[in-house]
């Protein structure tokens, strides 16, 4: 846990971490996105050809590029100025992607009901005011549109969680503590930067979505497929408990 902080400090930390974060991403994202999140997201998104899509929290832009190559017209926003710079640098000329800096808590310059699909990949946990972000996604979604977002699984990735190990490092079981704490906590990523995450309970997430006006269509707790385990055998341990959860919602 940490002192009371908000999204502005989270932005500053992600901005400082942007280059190191991007260096760890290929055109499939990082290894966790390749193994867990991309298969879940694309199975829920279906055919995106000719759809107006918002990549809400695009980071270095890998998902925006994948969506554009699949035929979508993409608007990509991220609250880190440096992330947007990197995303533009990595995007080939001709891909239909419009990048802009923007905080999902207030995307005032985007028009109501302007997107057929909104996808937010591992972003909502980076925002202090997730209720406001959900309200913005609901405002921006066209009638019969779809909002899909992924986060760290709040039941298993808590402010104090991790493997219980033997003295020689054998992993016994996954410990979870402080689940009902809601607020900011720090997580070291890379060698230097401590990133801010904002923890909420699963109850808070689902009730907030319902109260915002969303309908829950599907929930996925991604696990590695057989072909991914053949490629990355170490991920067999992720069959013991989930790291992520993905929601598919309609308005």
């Amino acid at each position: 846990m940490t002192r009371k902080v908000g999204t502005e400090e989270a932005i500053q930390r992600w901005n400082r971490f942007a280059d190191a974060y991007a260096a760890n991403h290929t055109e499939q994202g990082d290894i966790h996105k390749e193994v867990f999140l991309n298969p879940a997201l694309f199975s829920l998104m279906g055919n995106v050809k000719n759809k107006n899509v918002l990549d809400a929290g695009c980071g270095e832009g890998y998902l925006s590029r994948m969506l554009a190559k699949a035929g979508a017209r993409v608007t990509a926003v991220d609250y880190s100025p440096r992330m947007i710079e990197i995303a533009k640098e990595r995007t080939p000329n001709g891909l239909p992607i419009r990048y802009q800096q923007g905080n999902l808590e207030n995307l005032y310059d985007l028009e109501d009901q302007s997107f057929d699909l909104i996808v937010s990949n591992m972003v909502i946990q980076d925002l202090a005011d997730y209720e406001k972000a959900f309200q913005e996604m609901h405002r921006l979604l066209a009638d019969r549109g779809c909002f899909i977002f992924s986060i760290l699984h709040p039941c298993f990735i808590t402010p104090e969680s991790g493997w219980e190990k033997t003295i020689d490092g054998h992993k016994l079981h996954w410990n979870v503590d402080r689940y009902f704490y809601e607020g900011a906590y720090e997580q070291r990523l890379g060698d230097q930067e401590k990133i801010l995450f904002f923890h909420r309970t699963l109850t808070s997430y689902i009730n907030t979505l319902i109260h915002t006006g969303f309908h829950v269509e599907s929930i996925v707790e991604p696990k590695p497929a057989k072909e991914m385990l053949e490629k990355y055998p170490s991920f067999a341990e992720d069959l013991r408990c989930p790291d992520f959860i993905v929601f598919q919602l309609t308005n």
Side-chain angles (χ1 to χ4, degrees), residues 129-154:
D129 195 345
Y130 74 113
E131 298 98 332
K132 180 61 176 174
F134 285 158
Q135 291 165 14
E136 282 291 85
M137 300 304 101
H138 193 270
R139 177 183 69 83
L140 293 169
L141 198 62
D143 287 340
R144 295 183 294 278
C146 184
F147 172 38
I148 298 170
F149 74 94
S150 62
I151 53 173
L152 293 169
H153 201 307

Side-chain angles (χ1 to χ4, degrees), residues 11 22 35 46 53 58 79 86 96-97 112 118 121 129 135 141 147-148 156 159 171 179 184 191-192 196 213:
I11 294 172
V35 173
V53 179
C58 64
Y79 64 16
I86 295 170
I97 305 174
D112 293 1
I118 299 174
N121 191 19
D129 195 345
Q135 291 165 14
L141 198 62
F147 172 38
I148 298 170
F156 299 97
K171 294 176 180 177
Y179 171 71
D191 296 329
Q192 297 181 347
L196 284 178

Side-chain angles (χ1 to χ4, degrees), residues 21 41 45 51 83-84 116 144 148 160 177 223 250:
Y21 173 86
L41 291 172
M45 286 189 288
K51 289 186 177 181
M83 288 287 194
I84 291 295
D116 307 304
R144 295 183 294 278
I148 298 170
E160 294 180 24
D177 199 7
K223 60 183 179 180
T250 55

Side-chain angles (χ1 to χ4, degrees), residues 30-183:
D30 64 20
I31 192 170
H32 289 91
K33 295 183 176 78
E34 178 187 355
V35 173
F36 299 97
L37 294 166
N38 294 347
L41 291 172
F42 279 94
S43 69
L44 295 173
M45 286 189 288
N47 186 1
V48 300
K49 189 174 182 179
N50 296 324
K51 289 186 177 181
N52 292 320
V53 179
L54 175 64
D55 186 356
C58 64
E60 55 76 57
Y62 94 92
L63 186 57
S64 293
R65 296 189 292 273
M66 293 181 74
L67 290 164
K69 290 174 182 176
R73 297 180 293 271
V74 181
T75 298
V77 300
D78 198 276
Y79 64 16
S80 163
R82 180 56 186 149
M83 288 287 194
I84 291 295
E85 290 175 359
I86 295 170
K88 289 179 178 179
E89 292 167 1
R90 291 187 168 192
T91 299
N93 292 332
L95 278 184
I97 305 174
R98 176 167 64 98
Y99 289 108
Q100 65 183 70
Q101 185 186 356
N103 180 353
L104 304 192
E105 297 166 344
N106 187 4
L107 296 174
Y108 60 89
D109 55 343
L110 296 180
E111 295 183 5
D112 293 1
Q113 299 185 327
S114 51
F115 297 99
D116 307 304
L117 170 67
I118 299 174
V119 58
S120 185
N121 191 19
M122 300 300 291
V123 180
I124 300 297
Q125 72 236 336
D126 303 337
L127 304 171
D129 195 345
Y130 74 113
E131 298 98 332
K132 180 61 176 174
F134 285 158
Q135 291 165 14
E136 282 291 85
M137 300 304 101
H138 193 270
R139 177 183 69 83
L140 293 169
L141 198 62
D143 287 340
R144 295 183 294 278
C146 184
F147 172 38
I148 298 170
F149 74 94
S150 62
I151 53 173
L152 293 169
H153 201 307
C155 298
F156 299 97
I157 310 298
T158 67
E160 294 180 24
S161 59
W163 286 105
E164 181 78 17
K165 298 179 181 179
T166 62
I167 294 175
D168 61 359
H170 177 69
K171 294 176 180 177
L172 297 172
H173 56 263
W174 183 262
N175 289 326
V176 172
D177 199 7
R178 300 302 299 271
Y179 171 71
F180 285 105
Y181 165 83
E182 293 202 339

